[in-house]
Amino acid sequence: MGTIKIKNIRVYAYHGCLIEEGKIGSDYRVDLAVKANLSKSAKTDNLSDTVDYVLLNKIVKEEMAIRSQLLEEVAKRILDRILFEISLVKKAEVAVSKLNPPIGGNVAMVTIEMSKSRK
């Protein structure tokens, strides 16, 4: 078993409960980790034997482009799609952060973290 991590995927998106958030958008950061058996790809040196992090990045960007009120809903969609599309992944963990959230204070970011395992 091994882990593939993608850190600090930067995305501009339109999530949030406020009407203004849907109009002006905000900066987001997504961190992702997937667990998979990487022993075959370590031997074959073949991309088809591993989890393609280009595909992981694509999934994150596409799901972040779909407006949601809650970051939890976005994270769930990312996890569901990874496990649906990439059979090699046994577990996925995602952290979705809204940078400089409009919460009436000097806050760098707010983050939700979720994980999901294959049954």
Side-chain angles (χ1 to χ4, degrees):
M1 195 64 67
T3 304
I4 295 174
K5 295 180 180 181
I6 304 177
K7 295 184 178 182
N8 203 16
I9 301 169
R10 304 285 251 175
V11 180
Y12 196 84
Y14 298 86
H15 307 300
C17 296
L18 302 175
I19 294 171
E20 294 80 15
E21 291 174 300
K23 292 180 181 177
I24 62 172
S26 185
D27 289 308
Y28 292 84
R29 170 186 172 159
V30 179
D31 297 296
L32 185 64
V34 298
K35 294 192 181 299
N37 184 343
L38 303 178
S39 60
K40 184 175 181 183
S41 60
K43 292 176 187 172
T44 66
D45 195 30
N46 192 331
L47 180 60
S48 65
D49 293 330
T50 193
V51 178
D52 185 352
Y53 51 80
V54 173
L55 177 56
L56 292 172
N57 186 57
K58 178 180 179 234
I59 289 170
V60 167
K61 288 185 173 185
E62 288 176 356
E63 293 304 321
M64 287 295 292
I66 301 168
R67 177 163 162 63
S68 295
Q69 289 189 48
L70 301 178
L71 298 181
E72 292 90 324
E73 204 267 337
V74 180
K76 180 186 179 309
R77 285 198 324 264
I78 292 169
L79 294 171
D80 288 346
R81 191 159 159 209
I82 289 169
L83 290 174
F84 179 77
E85 292 187 24
I86 309 172
S87 61
L88 193 60
V89 172
K90 302 302 180 206
K91 181 179 182 181
E93 301 170 349
V94 66
V96 180
S97 303
K98 180 182 281 192
L99 307 179
N100 302 309
I103 60 174
N106 186 8
V107 178
M109 72 177 98
V110 60
T111 303
I112 65 99
E113 296 177 348
M114 294 174 68
S115 64
K116 187 171 183 178
S117 297
R118 190 173 300 283
K119 295 179 181 177

